[in-house]
Amino acid sequence: MAAHQEKKFAQERKHKNIQNDTKASQGQWGRAWEVDWFSLASILFLLMFAPLIVYYFIMSCDQYQCSLTDPLLDLLTGNKHLSDIWNKTPMLTYRAAGIYSLWVTFQVVLYVFIPDFCHKFLPGYVGGVQEGAVTPAGVVNKYQINGLQAWIITHVLWFANASFFHFFSPTIIFDNWIPLLWCANILGYAVSTFAMIKGYFFPTNAKDCKFTGNFFYDYMMGIEFNPRIGKWFDFKLFFNGRPGIVAWTLINLSFAAKQQELYGEVTNSMILVNVLQGLYVLDFFWNEAWYLKTIDICHDHFGWYLGWGDCVWLPYLYTLQGLYLVYHPVQLCTAHAIGILMLGFLGYYIFRMTNHQKDLFRRTNGNCRIWGKKPEYIECSYVSVDGTKYYSKLMTSGFWGWARHFNYTGDLMGSLAYCLACGFEHILPYFYIVYMTILLTHRCIRDEHRCCSKYGKDWKRYTAAVPYRLLPGIF
């Protein structure tokens, strides 16, 4: 976003306390330096209950045919005790541990040791070594963008096995779904704990670290901004994109294979879920270089929120529609199926075109055309920790003139389409749209709070020009 820099070092800065100076400068963006009681309560709630929520949803499908109310009724009426439910839950197995270890190791190898070659023959794809956004400390990290390549290699091997080699069944993920959950939890907690220890004792960049003094907040939200091992293994990029998102489409394919095994057919609703979510996953990897400029990379520190969330929350709760359809196969009428497909495609179009407009605006520094016209924008500036002043432009044209986060609106339309494919018999598949609405609304508020701190009065000018967050005329 920064167009050009103007270095502004005042002599008196040298005489100030370095720690206080760093804290003041970093306060412009990233997570908080101080924790209020509400934030702390929220953090403690998520640390205690998020793993239980994931377990409850998966257990409800395994033992109660995806009913979210029957387990509670059984417990409240005394028909069952917690020990009864727990004793019926599949435990960690050596087979699941082996599968998961091989999976993560394979993704690490694809990420670290195989440079991208897709950008050499795919027109329009941006891969290979790319630069990220400026960090609060003024650092510009370089990334090896090869997610699309990793996704292609993984899925070619998956289909080759399913069609020719038959080393394992395509239902292998569904058949080990709960044992794999324990493996994912172990990795999520291990990487989050390691990231916290690393932040204290051997951070990649000490100036990009934040300490609140509150153990739980620092563990949840992270200390380091961009923890790395070696030159290329970036924790945020790897765990955000791999292994969870590469696995997303494989998980859905495994659910489809299980539906075929159980009922002799794959329903059109399962096909819809695979197609629409597969489109989202492919879009993510095709635009992985663009992802370097998003809130996850540009603002979030790496802690339990990202580490555990990417290992457990994402692959287990984002795939609930496919899991539900294994237990409740839904064959939609043609009109219903076409309507859902159109809603999903429209949501994707809005999501992609909105992000494309912003990316085009950034790449050309505003020297482009949006909807046939030269884009309008607001000039703004911010200062990094080292005192360097950067200039940016906030676009107020195209979809970005309709709402400040209209890309999220398209995302929510797509999320609703996934859920509608499951019919209306149970509420479990609709958890996703409820969660995404809360997540993206909160992300709007969180992002805008940071932008307000970062850009100051320039941000107020921007919000005056674009008054709505998600829905023009409403919110």
Side-chain angles (χ1 to χ4, degrees):
M1 255 166 67
H4 63 281
Q5 310 175 19
E6 173 189 281
K7 297 206 171 179
K8 237 180 129 179
F9 292 102
Q11 191 65 34
E12 59 268 19
R13 183 184 291 272
K14 295 181 180 179
H15 304 293
K16 290 185 179 180
N17 180 281
I18 294 176
Q19 184 177 2
N20 289 338
D21 176 63
T22 300
K23 186 176 289 190
S25 298
Q26 278 190 316
Q28 298 177 54
W29 46 11
R31 68 165 181 79
W33 278 104
E34 298 177 352
V35 187
D36 57 69
W37 68 268
F38 180 78
S39 296
L40 180 58
S42 301
I43 293 300
L44 293 174
F45 175 85
L46 288 172
L47 286 171
M48 289 189 292
F49 291 105
L52 295 178
I53 291 171
V54 175
Y55 169 74
Y56 187 82
F57 274 83
I58 303 307
M59 176 277 298
S60 296
C61 287
D62 182 57
Q63 299 184 31
Y64 288 89
Q65 292 293 301
C66 299
S67 172
L68 293 179
T69 56
D70 285 354
L72 291 175
L73 291 174
D74 268 358
L75 292 173
L76 291 174
T77 58
N79 289 336
K80 284 190 178 180
H81 297 92
L82 284 173
S83 58
D84 298 324
I85 294 175
W86 180 252
N87 290 334
K88 287 185 65 177
T89 301
M91 292 293 103
L92 177 65
T93 63
Y94 286 112
R95 177 175 172 79
I99 293 169
Y100 198 77
S101 298
L102 285 173
W103 166 251
V104 175
T105 302
F106 181 57
Q107 292 306 313
V108 170
V109 170
L110 293 179
Y111 176 61
V112 177
F113 298 107
I114 305 182
D116 183 74
F117 56 80
C118 288
H119 69 281
K120 296 181 179 180
F121 63 86
L122 289 177
Y125 172 67
V126 179
V129 179
Q130 300 293 325
E131 289 187 347
V134 181
T135 73
V139 177
V140 178
N141 290 308
K142 291 187 177 181
Y143 298 83
Q144 177 63 252
I145 300 300
N146 59 2
L148 180 65
Q149 171 180 283
W151 187 90
I152 292 173
I153 292 173
T154 301
H155 284 71
V156 166
L157 293 176
W158 173 274
F159 283 109
N161 173 77
S163 302
F164 305 109
F165 302 120
H166 307 296
F167 293 139
F168 55 85
S169 169
T171 65
I172 188 172
I173 300 175
F174 177 88
D175 295 338
N176 294 274
W177 194 226
I178 295 181
L180 288 171
L181 172 62
W182 309 130
C183 299
N185 269 283
I186 291 170
L187 178 62
Y189 277 96
V191 73
S192 304
T193 303
F194 175 78
M196 186 173 192
I197 295 171
K198 183 178 181 301
Y200 273 103
F201 296 104
F202 48 100
T204 303
N205 189 317
K207 289 184 177 181
D208 270 330
C209 293
K210 279 191 175 183
F211 301 90
T212 63
N214 185 289
F215 171 84
F216 297 105
Y217 188 88
D218 287 347
Y219 183 72
M220 171 80 168
M221 301 307 296
I223 293 173
E224 275 201 86
F225 195 73
N226 285 107
R228 288 188 165 202
I229 293 178
K231 183 178 181 180
W232 295 115
F233 189 85
D234 184 271
F235 279 61
K236 277 203 288 192
L237 186 61
F238 178 78
F239 284 99
N240 272 320
R242 282 75 63 76
I245 296 185
V246 173
W248 189 344
T249 39
L250 291 184
I251 293 167
N252 281 339
L253 288 170
S254 185
F255 291 162
K258 193 66 180 181
Q259 197 183 68
Q260 174 69 40
E261 179 185 284
L262 292 174
Y263 310 108
E265 66 171 349
V266 177
T267 61
N268 58 3
S269 56
M270 179 69 85
I271 294 172
L272 275 174
V273 168
N274 271 262
V275 168
L276 292 176
Q277 293 188 348
L279 179 63
Y280 180 88
V281 170
L282 271 175
D283 178 89
F284 174 87
F285 287 119
W286 183 271
N287 296 284
E288 191 177 17
W290 160 84
Y291 182 69
L292 300 178
K293 306 297 193 298
T294 63
I295 186 173
D296 290 342
I297 301 295
C298 293
H299 287 287
D300 288 340
H301 290 240
F302 187 86
W304 186 88
Y305 174 76
L306 290 180
W308 180 88
D310 290 328
C311 290
V312 180
W313 188 272
L314 187 155
Y316 275 84
L317 294 191
Y318 285 26
T319 58
L320 280 177
Q321 290 77 33
L323 181 63
Y324 172 84
L325 291 171
V326 173
Y327 293 94
H328 298 274
V330 175
Q331 188 68 31
L332 302 167
C333 69
T334 302
H336 191 179
I338 292 175
I340 291 171
L341 186 65
M342 291 301 100
L343 175 64
F345 282 166
L346 178 60
Y348 172 75
Y349 173 80
I350 292 173
F351 170 78
R352 174 48 36 221
M353 288 308 298
T354 306
N355 288 322
H356 171 72
Q357 287 177 357
K358 181 165 69 171
D359 183 56
L360 177 65
F361 181 79
R362 281 174 169 169
R363 285 189 287 107
T364 62
N365 193 29
N367 296 314
C368 59
R369 301 188 76 79
I370 303 294
W371 290 351
K373 298 185 295 184
K374 186 173 176 60
E376 298 178 358
Y377 55 84
I378 291 175
E379 295 269 9
C380 56
S381 63
Y382 59 93
V383 181
S384 64
V385 167
D386 62 6
T388 304
K389 190 172 185 178
Y390 294 88
Y391 292 91
S392 294
K393 295 175 180 178
L394 298 173
M395 183 169 59
T396 59
S397 294
F399 284 125
W400 296 97
W402 288 14
R404 301 195 293 270
H405 305 275
F406 204 63
N407 53 333
Y408 292 167
T409 305
D411 208 351
L412 290 173
M413 292 170 67
S415 301
L416 179 60
Y418 310 156
C419 301
L420 290 173
C422 298
F424 302 99
E425 187 176 343
H426 285 275
I427 62 172
L428 180 140
Y430 289 85
F431 169 80
Y432 187 71
I433 183 60
V434 173
Y435 164 72
M436 289 299 290
T437 300
I438 295 171
L439 173 73
L440 295 181
T441 302
H442 175 257
R443 181 168 286 196
C444 284
I445 297 169
R446 190 162 57 107
D447 187 31
E448 293 193 1
H449 174 74
R450 288 168 173 168
C451 288
C452 184
S453 298
K454 181 177 177 179
Y455 296 119
K457 65 181 186 302
D458 293 330
W459 181 255
K460 293 181 180 179
R461 291 168 51 216
Y462 173 66
T463 56
V466 186
Y468 297 104
R469 286 191 172 110
L470 284 171
L471 298 173
I474 301 174
F475 174 73

